[in-house]
Amino acid sequence: MASKLEDDLTCPVCCEIYKDPVFLTCSHSVCKACLQQFWESKGHRECPYCRRKCSKQFYPPNLALRNLCETFVQEKSQKASAGSEVLCSLHSEKLKLFCLEDKQPVCLVCQTSKKHKNHTFSPTDEAAQDRKEELKIKLQPLQTKLKTFEKVKVMCDQTAAQIKTQAQRTERQIKQEFEKLHQFLHNEETARIAAVKKEEKQKSQMMKEKIEKMSRDISSLSDTIRAIEKEMGADDITFLQVTLDKSAAK
Protein backbone atom coordinates (compact mmCIF):
# COMPACT_ATOMS: atom_id res chain seq x y z
CA MET A 1 0.00 0.00 0.00
CA ALA A 2 2.85 2.34 0.95
CA SER A 3 4.62 1.54 -2.35
CA LYS A 4 1.50 2.33 -4.37
CA LEU A 5 1.01 5.57 -2.42
CA GLU A 6 4.64 6.54 -2.99
CA ASP A 7 4.21 5.90 -6.73
CA ASP A 8 1.19 8.21 -6.75
CA LEU A 9 3.20 10.89 -4.96
CA THR A 10 6.20 10.62 -7.29
CA CYS A 11 7.00 13.30 -9.89
CA PRO A 12 7.30 11.85 -13.42
CA VAL A 13 10.32 14.03 -14.20
CA CYS A 14 12.63 13.73 -11.18
CA CYS A 15 11.09 10.42 -9.97
CA GLU A 16 11.07 11.75 -6.40
CA ILE A 17 8.31 12.83 -4.03
CA TYR A 18 6.71 16.03 -5.32
CA LYS A 19 8.26 19.34 -4.25
CA ASP A 20 6.05 22.40 -4.85
CA PRO A 21 3.75 20.56 -7.30
CA VAL A 22 1.69 22.62 -9.75
CA PHE A 23 -1.72 21.70 -11.19
CA LEU A 24 -1.85 21.53 -15.01
CA THR A 25 -4.97 22.08 -17.12
CA CYS A 26 -4.98 18.37 -18.02
CA SER A 27 -5.45 17.57 -14.29
CA HIS A 28 -1.92 16.17 -13.87
CA SER A 29 0.64 17.50 -11.41
CA VAL A 30 4.42 17.93 -11.60
CA CYS A 31 7.14 19.68 -9.57
CA LYS A 32 7.35 23.35 -10.47
CA ALA A 33 11.12 23.26 -11.07
CA CYS A 34 10.93 19.92 -12.90
CA LEU A 35 8.24 21.28 -15.24
CA GLN A 36 10.46 24.20 -16.28
CA GLN A 37 13.44 21.86 -16.83
CA PHE A 38 11.27 19.46 -18.84
CA TRP A 39 10.00 22.29 -21.06
CA GLU A 40 13.52 23.59 -21.61
CA SER A 41 14.77 20.14 -22.64
CA LYS A 42 11.80 19.60 -24.98
CA GLY A 43 11.86 23.07 -26.48
CA HIS A 44 8.09 23.41 -26.12
CA ARG A 45 5.47 23.23 -23.34
CA GLU A 46 3.60 19.95 -22.81
CA CYS A 47 2.49 17.71 -19.91
CA PRO A 48 5.15 15.10 -18.93
CA TYR A 49 2.33 12.58 -18.34
CA CYS A 50 -0.05 12.80 -21.30
CA ARG A 51 1.99 15.07 -23.65
CA ARG A 52 -0.96 17.42 -23.90
CA LYS A 53 0.02 20.94 -24.97
CA CYS A 54 0.29 23.46 -22.13
CA SER A 55 -1.01 26.88 -23.19
CA LYS A 56 0.10 28.71 -20.05
CA GLN A 57 3.59 29.49 -18.77
CA PHE A 58 2.65 29.43 -15.09
CA TYR A 59 0.19 27.12 -13.28
CA PRO A 60 -1.31 27.29 -9.75
CA PRO A 61 0.24 25.23 -6.93
CA ASN A 62 -1.46 21.98 -5.94
CA LEU A 63 -1.65 22.75 -2.22
CA ALA A 64 -3.52 19.57 -1.26
CA LEU A 65 -0.93 17.36 -2.96
CA ARG A 66 1.96 19.36 -1.50
CA ASN A 67 0.61 18.98 2.05
CA LEU A 68 0.06 15.28 1.48
CA CYS A 69 3.62 14.82 0.23
CA GLU A 70 5.09 16.71 3.18
CA THR A 71 3.12 14.53 5.59
CA PHE A 72 4.18 11.39 3.75
CA VAL A 73 7.87 12.36 3.80
CA GLN A 74 7.65 13.15 7.50
CA GLU A 75 5.99 9.81 8.25
CA LYS A 76 8.51 7.97 6.10
CA SER A 77 11.39 9.68 7.91
CA GLN A 78 9.95 8.75 11.27
CA LYS A 79 9.47 5.16 10.14
CA ALA A 80 13.04 4.95 8.90
CA SER A 81 14.31 6.37 12.19
CA ALA A 82 12.22 3.92 14.20
CA GLY A 83 13.37 0.92 12.19
CA SER A 84 17.06 1.76 12.08
CA GLU A 85 19.80 1.35 14.62
CA VAL A 86 19.73 5.02 15.53
CA LEU A 87 20.61 5.30 19.23
CA CYS A 88 19.43 7.73 21.86
CA SER A 89 21.70 10.76 21.87
CA LEU A 90 21.56 10.89 25.70
CA HIS A 91 21.87 7.25 26.68
CA SER A 92 23.18 5.46 23.54
CA GLU A 93 20.29 2.98 23.80
CA LYS A 94 17.95 1.81 21.02
CA LEU A 95 14.86 3.95 20.47
CA LYS A 96 12.16 1.38 21.20
CA LEU A 97 9.43 3.63 22.59
CA PHE A 98 7.50 6.65 21.38
CA CYS A 99 6.53 9.40 23.84
CA LEU A 100 2.94 10.39 23.08
CA GLU A 101 3.26 13.70 24.97
CA ASP A 102 6.53 14.89 23.39
CA LYS A 103 5.85 13.17 20.03
CA GLN A 104 9.37 11.71 19.78
CA PRO A 105 11.06 8.29 19.95
CA VAL A 106 12.86 7.54 23.22
CA CYS A 107 14.87 4.74 24.78
CA LEU A 108 14.04 2.68 27.91
CA VAL A 109 16.24 4.90 30.04
CA CYS A 110 14.44 8.05 28.83
CA GLN A 111 11.19 6.45 29.93
CA THR A 112 12.31 6.53 33.58
CA SER A 113 13.89 9.99 33.42
CA LYS A 114 12.44 13.14 34.99
CA LYS A 115 11.90 14.67 31.54
CA HIS A 116 9.34 12.00 30.67
CA LYS A 117 7.89 11.51 34.15
CA ASN A 118 4.20 10.55 34.06
CA HIS A 119 4.28 10.47 30.24
CA THR A 120 2.49 7.85 28.17
CA PHE A 121 4.56 5.64 25.84
CA SER A 122 3.87 3.30 22.99
CA PRO A 123 6.11 0.86 21.10
CA THR A 124 7.59 2.52 18.03
CA ASP A 125 5.95 0.04 15.65
CA GLU A 126 2.52 0.67 17.20
CA ALA A 127 3.07 4.43 17.13
CA ALA A 128 4.11 4.22 13.49
CA GLN A 129 1.04 2.14 12.66
CA ASP A 130 -1.20 4.64 14.45
CA ARG A 131 0.37 7.47 12.47
CA LYS A 132 -0.15 5.50 9.25
CA GLU A 133 -3.80 5.09 10.09
CA GLU A 134 -4.06 8.82 10.77
CA LEU A 135 -2.38 9.54 7.47
CA LYS A 136 -4.70 7.14 5.66
CA ILE A 137 -7.70 8.86 7.22
CA LYS A 138 -6.35 12.25 6.10
CA LEU A 139 -5.53 10.88 2.67
CA GLN A 140 -9.01 9.57 1.85
CA PRO A 141 -10.86 12.93 1.93
CA LEU A 142 -7.98 14.55 0.06
CA GLN A 143 -8.16 11.91 -2.67
CA THR A 144 -11.92 12.29 -2.83
CA LYS A 145 -11.58 16.06 -2.98
CA LEU A 146 -8.94 15.78 -5.70
CA LYS A 147 -11.21 13.56 -7.81
CA THR A 148 -14.05 16.02 -7.31
CA PHE A 149 -11.81 18.89 -8.41
CA GLU A 150 -10.71 16.91 -11.46
CA LYS A 151 -14.33 16.18 -12.44
CA VAL A 152 -15.35 19.81 -11.92
CA LYS A 153 -12.36 20.96 -13.95
CA VAL A 154 -13.30 18.64 -16.82
CA MET A 155 -16.83 20.06 -16.73
CA CYS A 156 -15.43 23.60 -16.68
CA ASP A 157 -13.17 22.80 -19.64
CA GLN A 158 -16.14 21.40 -21.56
CA THR A 159 -18.29 24.41 -20.70
CA ALA A 160 -15.52 26.79 -21.75
CA ALA A 161 -15.18 24.92 -25.05
CA GLN A 162 -18.95 25.11 -25.60
CA ILE A 163 -18.95 28.84 -24.84
CA LYS A 164 -16.15 29.39 -27.33
CA THR A 165 -17.89 27.29 -30.00
CA GLN A 166 -21.20 29.12 -29.46
CA ALA A 167 -19.46 32.50 -29.65
CA GLN A 168 -17.73 31.52 -32.91
CA ARG A 169 -21.05 30.29 -34.38
CA THR A 170 -22.81 33.51 -33.35
CA GLU A 171 -19.97 35.58 -34.81
CA ARG A 172 -20.29 33.77 -38.15
CA GLN A 173 -24.06 34.35 -38.17
CA ILE A 174 -23.61 38.06 -37.44
CA LYS A 175 -21.06 38.38 -40.25
CA GLN A 176 -23.38 36.59 -42.68
CA GLU A 177 -26.32 38.83 -41.74
CA PHE A 178 -24.25 41.99 -42.13
CA GLU A 179 -22.89 40.76 -45.47
CA LYS A 180 -26.48 40.38 -46.67
CA LEU A 181 -27.33 43.82 -45.30
CA HIS A 182 -24.29 45.35 -46.99
CA GLN A 183 -25.28 43.71 -50.29
CA PHE A 184 -28.86 44.98 -49.94
CA LEU A 185 -27.66 48.51 -49.21
CA HIS A 186 -25.23 48.35 -52.13
CA ASN A 187 -28.04 47.26 -54.48
CA GLU A 188 -30.34 49.95 -53.10
CA GLU A 189 -27.63 52.57 -53.56
CA THR A 190 -27.01 51.45 -57.15
CA ALA A 191 -30.75 51.53 -57.99
CA ARG A 192 -31.31 54.97 -56.50
CA ILE A 193 -28.27 56.46 -58.19
CA ALA A 194 -29.46 54.99 -61.51
CA ALA A 195 -32.94 56.52 -60.98
CA VAL A 196 -31.42 59.92 -60.19
CA LYS A 197 -29.25 59.80 -63.31
CA LYS A 198 -32.23 58.77 -65.44
CA GLU A 199 -34.34 61.62 -64.07
CA GLU A 200 -31.44 64.02 -64.61
CA LYS A 201 -31.08 62.90 -68.22
CA GLN A 202 -34.80 63.34 -68.91
CA LYS A 203 -34.98 66.80 -67.33
CA SER A 204 -31.75 67.87 -69.01
CA GLN A 205 -33.15 66.80 -72.39
CA MET A 206 -36.33 68.80 -71.76
CA MET A 207 -34.34 71.88 -70.76
CA LYS A 208 -32.08 71.45 -73.76
CA GLU A 209 -35.04 71.43 -76.14
CA LYS A 210 -36.59 74.43 -74.36
CA ILE A 211 -33.33 76.36 -74.54
CA GLU A 212 -32.94 75.56 -78.24
CA LYS A 213 -36.50 76.80 -78.93
CA MET A 214 -35.89 79.99 -76.93
CA SER A 215 -32.62 80.49 -78.85
CA ARG A 216 -34.53 80.26 -82.14
CA ASP A 217 -37.19 82.67 -80.88
CA ILE A 218 -34.54 85.12 -79.70
CA SER A 219 -32.75 84.89 -83.04
CA SER A 220 -35.99 85.48 -84.96
CA LEU A 221 -36.98 88.35 -82.70
CA SER A 222 -33.53 89.89 -83.01
CA ASP A 223 -33.79 89.76 -86.82
CA THR A 224 -37.16 91.48 -86.71
CA ILE A 225 -35.85 94.21 -84.39
CA ARG A 226 -32.83 94.86 -86.58
CA ALA A 227 -35.07 95.10 -89.68
CA ILE A 228 -37.40 97.58 -87.98
CA GLU A 229 -34.49 99.61 -86.69
CA LYS A 230 -33.05 99.63 -90.19
CA GLU A 231 -36.36 100.90 -91.62
CA MET A 232 -36.56 103.58 -88.95
CA GLY A 233 -33.08 104.76 -89.92
CA ALA A 234 -34.14 105.54 -93.53
CA ASP A 235 -35.31 108.99 -94.67
CA ASP A 236 -38.95 109.91 -94.14
CA ILE A 237 -40.14 109.30 -97.71
CA THR A 238 -38.48 105.92 -97.92
CA PHE A 239 -39.71 104.98 -94.44
CA LEU A 240 -43.31 105.89 -95.34
CA GLN A 241 -43.21 104.02 -98.65
CA VAL A 242 -41.79 100.85 -97.03
CA THR A 243 -44.31 100.84 -94.20
CA LEU A 244 -47.22 101.52 -96.59
CA ASP A 245 -46.07 98.70 -98.91
CA LYS A 246 -45.97 96.31 -95.99
CA SER A 247 -49.40 97.36 -94.84
CA ALA A 248 -50.82 96.88 -98.30
CA ALA A 249 -49.17 93.45 -98.52
CA LYS A 250 -50.89 92.33 -95.39
Side-chain angles (χ1 to χ4, degrees):
M1 178 66 182
S3 178
K4 177 64 170 63
L5 175 59
E6 187 169 356
D7 290 341
D8 293 339
L9 300 181
T10 299
C11 173
V13 178
C14 64
C15 298
E16 296 180 0
I17 301 300
Y18 287 112
K19 298 180 183 64
D20 294 327
V22 294
F23 196 68
L24 304 180
T25 53
C26 57
S27 299
H28 291 129
S29 294
V30 64
C31 295
K32 181 178 180 180
C34 294
L35 183 63
Q36 295 296 330
Q37 294 176 0
F38 180 78
W39 286 350
E40 290 176 2
S41 64
K42 285 290 184 179
H44 58 276
R45 296 195 292 268
E46 65 178 24
C47 173
Y49 271 112
C50 62
R51 306 301 179 183
R52 180 176 176 181
K53 183 179 179 181
C54 297
S55 58
K56 300 179 181 179
Q57 186 175 0
F58 300 101
Y59 288 90
N62 191 334
L63 300 180
L65 180 58
R66 185 183 69 183
N67 294 337
L68 180 60
C69 290
E70 290 176 352
T71 303
F72 178 80
V73 170
Q74 182 181 2
E75 294 294 335
K76 185 177 180 181
S77 177
Q78 292 176 355
K79 178 181 177 182
S81 299
S84 65
E85 293 297 324
V86 177
L87 302 179
C88 176
S89 61
L90 297 176
H91 309 105
S92 298
E93 296 287 339
K94 291 184 178 180
L95 302 173
K96 294 184 176 181
L97 299 175
F98 186 79
C99 179
L100 299 180
E101 279 76 8
D102 294 333
K103 304 297 182 183
Q104 65 180 30
V106 297
C107 68
L108 295 176
V109 179
C110 290
Q111 182 184 15
T112 60
S113 66
K114 292 182 179 180
K115 180 180 179 181
H116 296 282
K117 186 178 181 179
N118 297 326
H119 286 189
T120 305
F121 300 90
S122 174
T124 53
D125 57 345
E126 291 184 6
Q129 186 61 37
D130 290 341
R131 291 292 292 168
K132 288 180 182 179
E133 293 299 327
E134 292 177 6
L135 179 60
K136 186 184 298 185
I137 293 174
K138 291 180 180 179
L139 178 62
Q140 289 177 352
L142 291 176
Q143 290 176 331
T144 301
K145 190 174 183 180
L146 178 60
K147 290 181 180 179
T148 301
F149 283 167
E150 290 175 347
K151 290 181 180 179
V152 172
K153 184 180 179 301
V154 170
M155 295 175 61
C156 290
D157 289 340
Q158 293 175 348
T159 302
Q162 292 175 355
I163 291 173
K164 184 176 182 180
T165 300
Q166 180 63 34
Q168 292 175 342
R169 184 183 301 113
T170 303
E171 181 180 349
R172 287 195 298 269
Q173 292 176 348
I174 292 174
K175 287 183 177 180
Q176 291 174 356
E177 292 298 325
F178 271 91
E179 286 177 359
K180 293 179 181 178
L181 179 59
H182 291 161
Q183 186 61 42
F184 169 78
L185 293 175
H186 176 72
N187 294 340
E188 186 70 13
E189 177 188 8
T190 302
R192 293 193 178 189
I193 290 176
V196 170
K197 289 184 176 181
K198 182 178 180 181
E199 182 180 1
E200 177 195 8
K201 184 177 180 180
Q202 292 175 347
K203 291 182 177 180
S204 296
Q205 182 63 31
M206 291 175 59
M207 291 304 299
K208 181 181 178 182
E209 294 176 355
K210 188 173 182 179
I211 290 172
E212 289 177 351
K213 182 177 181 301
M214 291 183 66
S215 296
R216 291 194 298 270
D217 292 341
I218 290 172
S219 178
S220 176
L221 185 58
S222 295
D223 292 342
T224 302
I225 292 173
R226 284 195 296 271
I228 293 174
E229 289 177 345
K230 182 178 180 180
E231 292 175 358
M232 292 175 63
D235 57 81
D236 294 340
I237 300 301
T238 304
F239 173 72
L240 290 173
Q241 289 178 347
V242 171
T243 54
L244 291 173
D245 292 341
K246 287 183 177 182
S247 298
K250 293 180 178 180

